[in-house]
Each structure stands twice: as structure tokens, then as C-alpha cells.
Amino acid sequence: VNCILLQDRLKKLKSEHGKVQLGNITVDMVLGGMRGMTGMLWETSLLDPEEGIRFRGLSIPECQKVLPAAVKDGEPLPEGLLWLLLTGKVPTKEQVDALSKELLSRSTVPGYVYKAIDALPVTAHPMTQFTTGVMALQVDSEFQKAYNKGMPKTKFWEPTYEDCLNLISRLPQVASYVYRRIFKDGKAIAADNTLDYAANFSHMLGFDDPKMLELMRLYITIHTDHEGGNVSAHTGHLVGSALSDPYLSFAAALNGLAGPLHGLANQEVLLWIKSVMEETGSNITTDQLKEYVWKTLKSGKVVPGYGHGVLRNTDPRYSCQREFALKYLPEDPLFQLVSKLYEVVPPILTELGKVKNPWPNVDAHSGVLLNHFGLTEARYYTVLFGVSRSIGIGSQLIWDRALGLPLERPKSVTMEWLENHCKKVAA
């Protein structure tokens, strides 16, 4: 019923308002990575420059209040957010528990997936090994099988739904296998079928501290989705628009996530914070830190974890991680350094005048939390991001097919075309 209602809304939008202009496209936008250009439909979340992300209309603090948790006053369960993104409705605890069991029932990974990963050198980057595992999972694609048999376009969403839930359910096994293979001599840990999605992932990685389980629930929830224009989300949508199945689409998205300007940033932030600590010691004063930040900027480098392509305020994903740290690890030296950076960096970047957003983003904090609980291997952090992002990209892919969204094909131009066009406008 919900699907039919949304299909009717889309038809009405096209028929009644199809010619309404959403803004002007400037040369700056064409040359500047399409920043500020409205150009795609993304139902599951919307990013406001001032207040940050809203998942189906709910802010992160609101999600923390209304989504079911594993423990009293605890962090929301990612299964709850998956339900919210898929349906637009806040689930009950019973519905979330049922979804947890559903994901668990789908989570068996075929042996050939592990063999495909094992064919790579152990030294291969964790994201390379993870994406290889996702591509190997594609062998079981329900969408590909159904499409090859022939099916009406109106039914495309059904095998897409099966693929997305299967993919989401199997990623923790694949991701934990990669972690244990690279960093723990290949000693895999079996799943614990009594645990929820995030807690089980943490367990298979080798971390059973209840606080770490809570951190993993928070981490996976807040990294799921960040509207559609970021590299990984847009890539998943673009590749999916060619009717590539969810495995192919998500593998492409992961390769975008692996870039230093996107998901790899969380790795770089922790390494930078640790280098600050090594060079200055743990008792650095605010004035010394200001001096170090200025030195970094004057050498042509950036302060990682600050600024964002859309946000113009402190990222609420940073804020909720800060609250978690204040609750569970206020004395951690790296957290205290992150807190000092929060005081020092924004005024310096504002004074510099070149940055539209001097405030911290999600990457400025996550590494320090993971490091505190023993997950110290920064090279692996983007894989965690990838597991989480499957929930947002997968949810939207299902709706892409349910709404019958078309092949994405924007127009490109040459510099000569732009120059000639600008001359005509000026004449």
C-alpha cells in the first residue's frame, strides 16, 4: 500500500509540477563538483546545512529517543533505523527483534566468498578485501536471476529487496573475516546468534565489552545514510539506475567510499591525532595546540575531520559521539585532545577565511572511540563505515526500483562549450 501511494505521489509530481524550476545552474557548479546543484531524488534522508541529517524526518537526537535500544537508555539498534528507512515508520521493539532474527536467518556466507578474499595478499587494503567479498556474494543475486528469467518492471523492487536484506545481513561476517585475516592471524570468531546485528559484528571482530557493543550500535546507526549526493550514496544510486543488482551497485559505492576525500577520512583523522600526541605529548596546552594547528595549515596541509561539503555547523554525528565519550571515556587522553581541538580549530579556520565550514564532521571523533576500546587498526575503519552505509544505500535502492526511477544520465560539456556559452550570455 505504501509503495502504491508513493508511486502515485511521484506521478502527480511529474504531471503537475514537472516543469517547475529548482534553481539556476552556474559555471561554478559545473566546475565545482556539482556542489549546491539539486539533481536527484533520495527518500531515506535529507541533510540540512545547519541542523544536519534527518532520517525520514527524524534528527539523530530524536532517533536516539524513539528507536528501540538493546539496553535501557542505550543507543538505538541499527535494525530500528533500517526499518525506519525502509518504511518511514518508527518500529516497536518487537518489530526490531523480528527484523534482527530475519537478518540472522539470511546471514550465512558461502565458502567461495572467503576463498575469493583468501586469493588476495594479506597485505591488500581492508577495503580491497571487503569489496572483493561483496563481489563474490553477487553470485547469489536474486535480482540478476529474476531479471534473466524475465519479469515486469513493477516487480523489480521485490528481488532488489531480497538482495539488499541478504547483503546487509552478510556484511558483518565478511567484514569481520577481513579484520581477523589481516590483524589477528586469520583466527575467525563464530557468530553469536543471541546478539543483535551490531553487537554480533563487534563480537565477531573480537570485542565483547558491553560499552563497545553500545558504541558499535551507535556507530552503525549514525553512519547509515547522509542523503544521496555523497560519493558512495550517489555511486550506488547511479550504478543501480543501470539495473545493476544491489551487489554490483554497493561494490561500486564501496570503491567510492575508499577514497581519501570520503570514507578514508576517518582513518586519516586518528593517525593525525596520534601524530599530534607523539610530537607534543599528552599535556599540550591550548596555546601550544593553536601553534601546532597553524603550523599544519601554513605547511599546505589540512586539519582532517573539519569541514563538510554541505554542513555549515557542527555535525550532529560528531556531537552524539562526543556525548558517548563524555559518558564512557572522559579521561581518555586522545578524547581530551579531540576536545581541545574542538575549542581551537574552528576559530583558526574562521580566521583563515578560506573554509565555508570550520566545524568538525563525523570523522573527527569516531576513530578515537574505536581506538579506546581496542580497535586500534585505523586502516580498517572505512570497512566499518561500509557495513553501516549498506543500510542507507540498500534501503534507497529498493525504493529506486519500487518508484521506477530511470537511468541517470546528466549532460556534460567541454571548457570550449562553457567559454562560448559565457561569451553569448555576455554579448
Side-chain angles (χ1 to χ4, degrees):
V1 176
N2 198 21
C3 187
I4 293 166
L5 288 172
L6 276 171
Q7 287 168 347
D8 289 343
R9 271 179 73 192
L10 187 72
K11 285 174 190 169
K12 189 177 179 183
L13 266 173
K14 285 181 76 172
S15 63
E16 295 182 11
H17 308 292
K19 305 302 179 194
V20 173
Q21 291 190 356
L22 297 177
N24 296 315
I25 295 172
T26 64
V27 173
D28 271 344
M29 289 173 174
V30 174
L31 299 180
M34 299 194 285
R35 297 287 172 98
M37 190 187 293
T38 301
M40 66 188 294
L41 183 70
W42 194 268
E43 284 292 290
T44 50
S45 65
L46 185 67
L47 183 59
D48 181 272
E50 297 300 325
E51 69 174 13
I53 195 67
R54 282 188 174 268
F55 302 114
R56 293 286 191 174
L58 296 177
S59 67
I60 285 177
E62 287 167 347
C63 284
Q64 287 177 303
K65 281 180 190 170
V66 301
L67 290 179
V71 296
K72 191 178 187 309
D73 300 324
E75 300 300 338
L77 288 158
E79 296 95 319
L81 193 66
L82 172 58
W83 184 290
L84 176 67
L85 296 184
L86 281 174
T87 68
K89 297 184 173 102
V90 174
T92 63
K93 181 65 163 66
E94 291 73 27
Q95 287 170 325
V96 167
D97 289 344
L99 182 53
S100 282
K101 287 176 184 170
E102 172 72 15
L103 292 173
L104 190 63
S105 73
R106 295 169 176 262
S107 63
T108 303
V109 174
Y112 56 76
V113 173
Y114 300 125
K115 285 180 182 175
I117 295 169
D118 288 342
L120 294 167
V122 176
T123 53
H125 194 279
M127 282 297 283
T128 304
Q129 299 190 40
F130 185 45
T131 309
T132 298
V134 171
M135 286 300 296
L137 284 170
Q138 190 274 341
V139 173
D140 278 341
S141 171
E142 295 296 330
F143 181 87
Q144 187 183 56
K145 290 174 197 168
Y147 188 84
N148 288 343
K149 282 181 187 172
M151 67 185 308
K153 191 177 178 183
T154 54
K155 298 282 187 183
F156 281 175
W157 74 269
E158 293 177 8
T160 300
Y161 172 88
E162 296 300 327
D163 274 356
C164 287
L165 254 64
N166 287 340
L167 174 64
I168 290 165
S169 71
R170 292 168 191 172
L171 288 179
Q173 277 85 340
V174 175
S176 59
Y177 184 82
V178 169
Y179 177 76
R180 303 293 301 182
R181 179 175 188 252
I182 298 172
F183 303 111
K184 303 296 176 184
D185 300 320
K187 295 170 185 170
I189 296 173
D192 180 343
N193 294 346
T194 66
L195 294 172
D196 57 85
Y197 184 84
N200 205 6
F201 183 25
S202 182
H203 165 72
M204 289 187 288
L205 289 169
F207 303 97
D208 292 307
D209 183 333
K211 293 175 186 175
M212 178 60 165
L213 304 190
E214 275 291 273
L215 173 59
M216 195 63 80
R217 291 171 186 129
L218 175 66
Y219 183 99
I220 291 180
T221 297
I222 65 173
H223 285 81
T224 50
D225 207 28
H226 217 230
E227 75 170 30
N230 64 75
V231 170
S232 56
H234 190 187
T235 301
H237 171 80
L238 170 64
V239 176
S241 79
L243 296 186
S244 299
D245 65 60
Y247 297 95
L248 297 174
S249 303
F250 187 63
L254 285 177
N255 286 326
L257 192 68
L261 296 182
H262 191 16
L264 208 67
N266 55 9
Q267 166 184 321
E268 295 188 332
V269 169
L270 182 64
L271 295 174
W272 185 77
I273 289 170
K274 283 185 171 179
S275 73
V276 174
M277 187 79 83
E278 283 167 16
E279 285 186 45
T280 63
S282 58
N283 296 319
I284 186 170
T285 64
T286 303
D287 287 340
Q288 287 172 320
L289 193 56
K290 283 179 184 173
E291 194 178 314
Y292 187 91
V293 170
W294 273 115
K295 188 178 81 172
T296 300
L297 293 168
K298 285 174 180 174
S299 70
K301 296 175 185 173
V302 297
V303 176
Y306 281 76
H308 191 272
V310 177
L311 281 168
R312 295 295 173 262
N313 218 325
T314 299
D315 191 335
R317 298 173 300 172
Y318 173 96
S319 302
C320 68
Q321 290 182 101
R322 177 172 170 77
E323 286 165 16
F324 187 94
L326 287 168
K327 183 176 179 181
Y328 291 116
L329 47 131
E331 304 303 320
D332 183 277
L334 289 178
F335 168 59
Q336 291 182 344
L337 179 54
V338 164
S339 295
K340 284 178 185 172
L341 285 166
Y342 190 26
E343 291 175 36
V344 165
V345 174
I348 290 175
L349 292 178
T350 303
E351 187 182 331
L352 200 62
K354 294 179 183 176
V355 181
K356 288 181 182 176
N357 173 24
W359 303 104
N361 59 48
V362 67
D363 298 314
H365 217 306
S366 54
V368 166
L369 296 178
L370 295 164
N371 183 82
H372 176 83
F373 290 108
L375 212 170
T376 58
E377 298 86 359
R379 287 177 74 230
Y380 183 77
Y381 289 174
T382 313
V383 176
L384 298 175
F385 199 158
V387 172
S388 172
R389 191 49 63 92
S390 70
I391 292 173
I393 291 174
S395 297
Q396 183 60 42
L397 274 174
I398 294 165
W399 279 107
D400 287 351
R401 299 291 74 79
L403 294 171
L405 297 187
L407 176 71
E408 185 177 308
R409 203 330 187 160
K411 179 78 178 83
S412 64
V413 293
T414 63
M415 277 203 283
E416 184 182 11
W417 186 96
L418 284 172
E419 288 162 351
N420 291 337
H421 180 77
C422 292
K423 282 174 189 171
K424 284 179 194 171
V425 171

